[in-house]
Amino acid sequence: MKAMLLSLLLVLLSACSSLTISKSTSERMIAIKSDGSPALYPIKTASKKNKYSYEQQIESIISGIKKSGRKKILLYAFGGMNSLDSTVKRTEELSQVIYSESDYYPVLINWESDLVDSYYDHLMFIRRGVKSYTYGPALSPFYLLVDIGRAAIRLPINLVLQARGVFQNDALGSKINSNDTKKLKKLKIKYYVGKDYKNDYYSISRSLMFLITFPIRVASTVIINMAGKSGWEVMIRRSKIVFQKSQASEDNFSDEVNILTSPPNGALSVFMDRLVKFNNANPGYEFTLMGHSMGAFITNGMLMRYDMLNYKNIVYMVPACSSEEAAMVLRPYLERHPESTFYNLCIHPNMDANQMMAYGLLARGSVLRWIDLYFTDPLTSSDHCLGIWYNAIYSMPRLLGKVQKQCVIKVFGIHDPLTNTIDIDMPKKHTDFSNPKLRFWEPKFWNIPK
């Protein structure tokens, strides 16, 4: 058994060490480990001497911006539940396509957010916001029991929440009546909801399949609530330590003071500090800030800490942060930058509510629905995910006040020629938005159809 585990570990380590990137990719990405420190991948070169420091990589990015002659910079943050290696692999293709087919200089932000790795961190090490390598592992059995107990006790609640709308074909039509539509049209916020031309997708047969798979879904719901909630909290933690690393609980007092009195030491902060310095010395650059799903937590931090940059376009694609969390950084930034526009992109409510996961073996609905139902404990309606259209349209106007006129909410339809690319039927699911086929970096993707 020990030999088998050792072999598996060696395979995993060799797989991680074998990943290399091109020089152009190293000049267009930031990779961040689970502790907030930079990840440096070997560069594909003829010479074996391709080691470099993070400071050297940052300077190569700045140099790449200068040499490109481009004045538009795209800062894109990947979403959660992704391993660092998987997003780096996607960066190879995505950065090349954006660079060659647009006038942007792309900088893609990759961060370790794998769900299994996050839950393991919670189970073994994270104790009250800091890592402990002594009593952390010692308390892990009790943390596991708490997770199992919580998931088991909450199971009836979660099943009731799942059952809502099982036989409901049109989630949009059942909630928005004509009177509501008239009131929404009076809002200053610009919004557009695509049409669902495939309403039979939510047929009686699909509802029956949900009933047939119910016994398996009971077990999977327990697992989702057990590991998902705690893993989600660690992922949020990691979205913060990309800016400021957290010390271990065994550090002495002087170590903590040194951290508190030093500049932000997370890999993303180190890069952004250098980018701000470059922008101050070379004015005239225009930034587009994009975040997919949990990438919105990253972009929220960038807006809060680096609001001196000119983010002309701020694009959140099915954001996993709450409406209130986004409003707390968006409102002051948009008030100071009336030339900037915020775009909130959502999938259609019918897909949000009725998406079938793993042929009905997992809980119904999109990942954002899982977050609202299983991973978080919202205190008010403004604490629900901003990426769900109902949450956005009912909370953003009152949270954003006068700057709502600088905001656009766009809901993609299903098989809708005005919003979807019919040949690939996208975007329809939560995970579609980072697909390069969508060309999501182009303004026509964010803007309301004419």
Side-chain angles (χ1 to χ4, degrees):
M1 183 66 179
K2 289 183 179 179
M4 185 184 300
L5 290 173
L6 181 60
S7 300
L8 179 60
L9 180 61
L10 290 173
V11 169
L12 291 173
L13 289 173
S14 63
C16 292
S17 61
S18 63
L19 182 60
T20 59
I21 59 174
S22 64
K23 187 175 185 299
S24 61
T25 300
S26 73
E27 296 175 348
R28 300 171 196 159
M29 83 164 192
I30 300 295
I32 308 170
K33 297 178 184 178
S34 60
D35 62 355
S37 62
L40 302 176
Y41 287 84
I43 299 174
K44 302 170 187 174
T45 60
S47 171
K48 293 182 179 180
K49 298 179 180 179
N50 55 14
K51 292 184 179 180
Y52 57 97
S53 67
Y54 186 51
E55 289 72 19
Q56 289 173 322
Q57 185 192 4
I58 291 176
E59 290 307 315
S60 71
I61 294 174
I62 300 299
S63 176
I65 294 173
K66 288 179 181 178
K67 289 188 294 185
S68 72
R70 304 183 181 198
K71 290 296 183 180
K72 293 183 179 181
I73 299 175
L74 173 65
L75 301 173
Y76 175 85
F78 279 96
M81 299 189 189
N82 291 303
S83 69
L84 186 57
D85 283 356
S86 68
T87 52
V88 168
K89 288 177 182 177
R90 288 156 62 192
T91 295
E92 286 270 14
E93 176 190 5
L94 195 53
S95 64
Q96 181 60 39
V97 172
I98 296 174
Y99 188 85
S100 60
E101 299 183 15
S102 76
D103 55 355
Y104 286 114
Y105 189 94
V107 179
L108 279 65
I109 302 163
N110 309 273
W111 54 295
E112 179 58 69
S113 59
D114 179 71
L115 179 58
V116 175
D117 183 71
S118 297
Y119 183 70
Y120 179 77
D121 226 5
H122 150 79
L123 202 59
M124 295 299 296
F125 303 114
I126 306 299
R127 300 294 177 257
R128 299 185 64 80
V130 294
K131 270 197 171 185
S132 171
Y133 298 97
T134 53
Y135 71 86
L139 292 175
S140 60
F142 302 100
Y143 272 73
L144 179 61
L145 288 174
V146 168
D147 289 342
I148 294 173
R150 182 194 65 240
I153 292 171
R154 281 189 59 90
L155 180 61
I157 300 172
N158 291 335
L159 293 178
V160 169
L161 294 173
Q162 271 189 41
R164 292 180 61 190
V166 169
F167 292 96
Q168 178 179 290
N169 281 349
D170 188 1
L172 179 63
S174 64
K175 291 187 177 181
I176 304 297
N177 56 41
S178 58
N179 190 42
D180 287 335
T181 303
K182 292 178 182 177
K183 291 179 181 178
L184 290 174
K185 286 183 177 179
K186 294 180 181 179
L187 295 175
K188 294 179 181 178
I189 201 165
K190 305 177 186 71
Y191 76 94
Y192 181 88
V193 181
K195 295 184 181 299
D196 179 0
Y197 286 102
K198 199 178 179 183
N199 200 256
D200 59 342
Y201 186 78
Y202 320 99
S203 60
I204 295 295
S205 60
R206 287 176 58 81
S207 297
L208 290 175
M209 186 178 292
F210 276 118
L211 293 177
I212 294 170
T213 55
F214 177 75
I216 299 176
R217 200 161 59 253
V218 170
S220 66
T221 299
V222 173
I223 296 172
I224 289 170
N225 192 249
M226 182 193 78
K229 180 176 176 61
S230 299
W232 162 261
E233 291 169 352
V234 173
M235 283 187 275
I236 293 179
R237 176 184 187 271
R238 292 180 178 181
S239 73
K240 295 179 179 180
I241 61 177
V242 300
F243 298 102
Q244 177 67 63
K245 290 193 285 186
S246 179
Q247 76 279 10
S249 62
E250 284 85 359
D251 288 349
N252 59 42
F253 187 74
S254 60
D255 290 330
E256 294 184 12
V257 172
N258 288 336
I259 290 174
L260 292 172
T261 57
S262 64
N265 58 359
L268 186 53
S269 281
V270 174
F271 166 71
M272 290 299 292
D273 286 338
R274 180 65 182 90
L275 185 63
V276 168
K277 183 179 178 181
F278 166 74
N279 185 67
N280 291 341
N282 303 271
Y285 282 90
E286 176 186 294
F287 295 85
T288 290
L289 186 61
M290 301 190 76
H292 173 224
S293 189
M294 282 197 78
F297 287 101
I298 305 288
T299 52
N300 282 345
M302 294 167 75
L303 284 169
M304 180 176 70
R305 293 171 172 85
Y306 301 98
D307 58 348
M308 65 290 292
L309 294 177
N310 173 28
Y311 304 111
K312 183 178 180 183
N313 305 298
I314 304 167
V315 186
Y316 284 16
M317 300 189 290
V318 283
C321 66
S322 72
S323 302
E324 186 151 3
E325 287 169 327
M328 287 176 67
V329 294
L330 283 168
R331 185 167 182 168
Y333 183 85
L334 294 175
E335 285 175 347
R336 293 194 303 273
H337 297 83
E339 73 285 353
S340 299
T341 305
F342 169 67
Y343 300 86
N344 190 55
L345 309 182
C346 310
I347 61 174
H348 197 277
N350 287 346
M351 184 56 68
D352 247 330
N354 299 306
Q355 184 177 341
M356 182 175 280
M357 294 282 200
Y359 303 99
L361 301 178
L362 299 179
R364 185 172 56 95
S366 70
V367 172
L368 296 188
R369 295 267 297 186
W370 287 16
I371 293 170
D372 277 350
L373 294 179
Y374 312 124
F375 299 170
T376 61
D377 296 301
L379 299 178
T380 71
S381 58
S382 299
D383 295 322
H384 292 131
C385 285
L386 178 63
I388 295 179
W389 184 75
Y390 296 118
N391 301 340
I393 197 66
Y394 286 126
S395 61
M396 285 181 65
R398 68 172 181 269
L399 291 172
L400 293 173
K402 293 181 180 179
V403 298
Q404 62 176 289
K405 61 185 178 182
Q406 295 168 244
C407 301
V408 175
I409 302 176
K410 181 178 180 180
V411 178
F412 291 86
I414 302 175
H415 281 273
D416 183 353
L418 290 180
T419 61
N420 299 85
T421 305
I422 298 300
D423 58 336
I424 56 172
D425 193 22
M426 287 182 170
K428 183 172 68 176
K429 297 181 293 185
H430 180 88
T431 53
D432 287 344
F433 282 83
S434 60
N435 192 315
K437 293 180 180 179
L438 289 177
R439 304 182 66 84
F440 55 81
W441 55 89
E442 295 182 348
K444 66 180 180 181
F445 183 75
W446 333 316
N447 284 308
I448 290 175
K450 293 182 180 180

